[in-house]
């Protein structure tokens, strides 16, 4: 058992920690997310020292509070803790206003809905007529990025090279395009059901 | 519904986050790189983390900071066991039995006292 705990999934590590109170379980879990938390903090704080400091604060809070709540998905939970800590820091230090607005307006992408899964399956069917009709309604940037990514299986870097867009632009064209597709296809299936 | 739960379960696994650095370094195999990018489209935690990690000028800096964070986590959690003090809770019937026995005892003492 001594070394096996590193192979346990998040849920089991958390459960073992709750039952035994043994710190090695929570230590393994936190270390598993150190890179992700550091990246999230860096995204919002945009400064290496601040990001490192905030990440330490996240782990401190997670260590103290992980056994106090029912946590079904540790990754989502620690991500929310990290975002909240960054938001508080931005407010306290009164950095720029821009990141705070960005944070509030950010769509909640972490829940995979049934619609998202349906779209994921649909994007595998390159020949699907309703998908192509919906793609025609997107703007050119979104449609081309989605086609390159899903139909031609090109990576973001390859799409950057083909289109000349930045990494951020490719990401946002794909994410916004997918959201539009979900809306268009959702409305279409609603009108079919009514007919 | 099962598919949604499976997807959530997959999201809940931390193992994917271990591949973040390989993705940033461009050392993931092509298929895994694409899978990571597809995940990025639906998972805001992974999406934000990659965006943040890409802001570091040198990947070596990320490794140094990660090591320092992990060292800190290790030192914090090194004391093997955190003892939890939980209040002892007795079932209601035990409390009731104890009260009844005490009352019988008191009544017995009173009777003995009266007989004297």
């Amino acid at each position: 058992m001594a070394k096996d705990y590193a192979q346990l999934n998040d849920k089991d590590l958390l459960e073992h920690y709750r039952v035994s109170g043994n710190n090695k379980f929570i230590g393994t879990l936190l270390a598993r997310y150190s890179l992700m938390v550091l990246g999230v903090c860096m995204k919002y704080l945009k400064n290496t020292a601040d990001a490192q400091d905030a990440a330490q604060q996240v782990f401190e809070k997670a260590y103290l509070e992980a056994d106090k709540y029912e946590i079904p998905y540790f990754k989502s939970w620690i991500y929310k803790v990290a975002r909240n800590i960054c938001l508080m820091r931005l407010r306290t230090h009164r950095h720029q206003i821009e990141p705070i607005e960005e944070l509030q307006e950010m769509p909640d992408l972490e829940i995979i809905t049934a619609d998202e899964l349906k779209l994921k399956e649909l994007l595998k069917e390159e020949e699907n007529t309703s998908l192509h009709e919906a793609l025609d309604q997107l703007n050119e940037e979104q449609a081309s990025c989605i086609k390159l990514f899903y139909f031609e299986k090109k990576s973001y870097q390859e799409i950057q090279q083909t289109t000349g867009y930045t990494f951020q632009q490719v990401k946002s064209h794909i994410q916004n395009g997918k959201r539009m597709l979900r809306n268009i296809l959702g409305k279409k299936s609603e009108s079919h059901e009514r007919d | 519904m099962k598919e949604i739960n499976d997807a959530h379960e997959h999201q809940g696994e931390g193992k994917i986050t271990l591949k973040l650095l390989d993705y940033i370094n461009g050392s993931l195999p092509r298929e895994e790189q694409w899978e990571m990018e597809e995940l990025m489209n639906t998972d805001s935690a992974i999406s934000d983390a990659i965006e943040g990690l890409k802001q570091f000028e040198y990947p070596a800096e990320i490794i140094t900071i990660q090591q320092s964070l992990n060292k800190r986590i290790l030192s914090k959690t090194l004391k093997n066991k955190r003892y939890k003090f939980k209040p002892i809770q007795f079932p209601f019937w035990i409390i009731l039995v104890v009260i009844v026995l005490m009352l019988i005892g008191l009544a017995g003492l009173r009777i003995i006292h009266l007989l004297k």
Side-chain angles (χ1 to χ4, degrees), chain A residues 7 9-10 17-18 20-23 27 30-36 38-40 42-44 46 48 52 56 60 63 67 73 75 79 106 109-110 112 114 116-117 120 149-150 153-156 158 167-168 171 174-175 178, chain B residues 3-4 7-9 11-18 20-21 23 30 33-34 37-38 40-56 61-62 65-66 68-70 72-73 76-77 79-82 84:
Chain A
Q7 301 299 321
N9 65 27
D10 296 357
Y17 173 59
R18 281 200 177 132
S20 69
N22 195 323
N23 281 338
L30 294 178
R32 193 175 276 182
Y33 286 100
S34 58
L35 204 58
M36 188 191 90
L38 178 65
V40 171
M42 186 65 178
K43 186 210 157 166
Y44 292 112
K46 304 192 187 311
T48 308
Q52 186 173 357
Q56 278 169 6
E60 188 80 27
Y63 171 66
D67 60 346
Y73 303 107
K75 191 178 83 178
Y79 170 59
M106 201 185 80
L109 293 170
E110 68 204 80
I112 292 190
E116 176 63 39
L117 284 171
K120 206 174 163 184
F149 186 72
Y150 284 101
K153 302 274 179 223
K154 285 195 186 294
S155 69
Y156 275 30
E158 287 166 330
F167 180 89
Q168 201 50 43
K171 193 173 109 172
I174 292 177
Q175 286 181 354
K178 278 183 73 184
Chain B
E3 277 177 314
I4 298 174
H8 275 148
E9 185 58 33
Q11 278 192 320
E13 292 291 339
K15 285 163 192 168
I16 191 82
T17 66
L18 302 174
L20 284 172
L21 197 62
Y23 175 78
R30 201 176 183 282
Q33 187 186 350
W34 191 88
E37 286 167 348
E38 201 202 12
M40 209 163 79
N41 292 331
T42 51
D43 187 323
S44 46
I46 296 294
S47 176
D48 282 0
I50 288 177
E51 205 181 315
L53 292 173
K54 271 182 170 286
Q55 289 176 25
F56 283 93
E61 196 184 6
I62 302 174
I65 297 175
Q66 189 197 13
S68 141
L69 284 171
N70 286 352
R72 219 180 140 94
I73 291 169
K76 189 90 193 164
T77 57
K79 288 168 214 154
N80 203 23
K81 211 157 180 153
R82 189 169 75 180
K84 295 174 183 175

Side-chain angles (χ1 to χ4, degrees), chain A residues 75-85 108 110-111:
Chain A
K75 191 178 83 178
S76 299
W77 181 76
I78 201 164
Y79 170 59
K80 277 178 192 154
V81 172
R83 261 174 57 176
N84 287 343
I85 283 179
D108 196 1
E110 68 204 80
I111 304 221

